[in-house]
Amino acid sequence: MPPEAVTRFAPSPTGPLHLGHAYAAMVAAERAGAGRFLLRIEDIDQSRCRPQWEAQIYHDLEWLGLRWEVPVMRQSARGSAYRAGLDQLAALGLLYPCCCTRADIRAALSAPQEGAPLGPDGLTYPGTCRMRPMSEAGPNDALRLNMGAALAHVGALEFIENGPIHPGRHALDRDWLRDVAGDVVLARRDMGTSYHLSVVLDDAAQDITEVTRGADLFDATPIHVLLQALLQLPTPSYYHHTLIRDDTGKRLAKRDDARAIARYREEGLRPEALRQRLTLSAGT
Ligand code: GLU
């Protein structure tokens, strides 16, 4: 990586950091090289985030030997940036309010067609509310991106993947975005934003040059690259790392507290030993 590389680790403080997080943080710091390694607290879901978990994130990362710049960006302080991003997309006529529940979506998708497509956010939205104008948006509505209209706004797009699993240049598959990813939610009713919107705006605000994260988020990347183009933001390169597996080869669950870094620390494991173990179990 060039010396000016800027990378980030972006955990959500919804529980203890586990081995998978430790590996993600290590990869981000390593990819920064002589550049900048930033931390971002992804706490938009205030119903699940707790200050004690945020405090433990700092503690665990320090114990692992990582250092980052302060102040740390926290998503809970970025509401106005998210609203500005939504306003920009709404001005382009690309958003619409949606009051469908998950059950509504399932019902709309059941028969006649079988095997409804499954995008990165779950079942592909069938478009029930697509014709609703933004002037109707109320407190019980989420805001969705009209994917067809969004694609008509941009030309061919691509991103560069530097990670071990899908290395190379990836042209965005417009059919997949329209038919599988579909009209993704950009503002959830309960939080006024979404993972996709926040991550795109925050990476740009932090001048991230390479996004490092787990391979489970590879499929979300085309959505992010499209949003960057719509919001006239630069597209960073990406590095999706392999996911840590347990001794039987099973992917570690995000919320497997038995694998919490704090447990290893309490058991007296040295941080160097944990780092070495992670490097070994991450083999592609
Ligand atoms: N906050 C996300 C997580 O904890 C990471 C998102 C990202 O790196 O883009 O899985």
Side-chain angles (χ1 to χ4, degrees), residues 36-217:
R36 301 166 61 204
F37 167 61
L38 307 182
L39 185 59
R40 180 166 77 230
I41 300 295
E42 301 221 317
D43 58 351
I44 47 174
D45 190 348
Q46 286 287 307
S47 66
R48 295 174 59 224
C49 296
R50 299 281 175 273
Q52 97 234 29
W53 296 129
E54 185 177 330
Q56 197 169 320
I57 287 173
Y58 302 134
H59 191 49
D60 287 347
L61 294 179
E62 255 169 36
W63 177 77
L64 274 171
L66 298 174
R67 299 292 175 264
W68 54 90
E69 289 183 19
V70 286
V72 167
M73 178 180 276
R74 300 168 78 239
Q75 290 189 324
S76 52
R78 303 246 316 135
S80 56
Y82 304 146
R83 276 190 296 280
L86 291 168
D87 286 347
Q88 227 178 311
L89 296 169
L92 295 173
L94 303 181
L95 298 185
Y96 63 86
C98 171
C99 54
C100 294
T101 61
R102 258 173 236 216
D104 294 334
I105 296 172
R106 265 196 306 273
L109 287 170
S110 64
Q113 83 268 42
E114 269 171 28
L118 208 54
D121 297 345
L123 286 173
T124 307
Y125 183 63
T128 320
C129 288
R130 195 176 292 138
M131 299 324 273
R132 287 182 61 200
M134 277 299 279
S135 55
E136 267 185 20
N140 290 328
D141 289 310
L143 299 180
R144 286 185 183 272
L145 180 71
N146 181 332
M147 188 58 84
L151 287 167
H153 254 272
V154 296
L157 296 172
E158 60 174 26
F159 67 94
I160 293 170
E161 170 67 36
N162 293 324
I165 310 174
H166 312 279
R169 219 170 252 283
H170 292 262
L172 259 52
D173 180 341
R174 300 170 71 91
D175 293 342
W176 180 88
L177 275 166
R178 195 190 51 237
D179 301 335
V180 182
D183 292 356
V184 289
V185 169
L186 291 190
R188 278 173 52 174
R189 177 183 30 216
D190 46 342
M191 55 177 84
T193 184
S194 63
Y195 163 63
H196 298 309
L197 181 76
S198 306
V199 84
V200 162
L201 291 169
D202 296 346
D203 285 334
Q206 290 191 297
D207 296 321
I208 302 299
T209 61
E210 184 176 84
V211 169
T212 65
R213 59 187 179 198
D216 52 337
L217 288 167

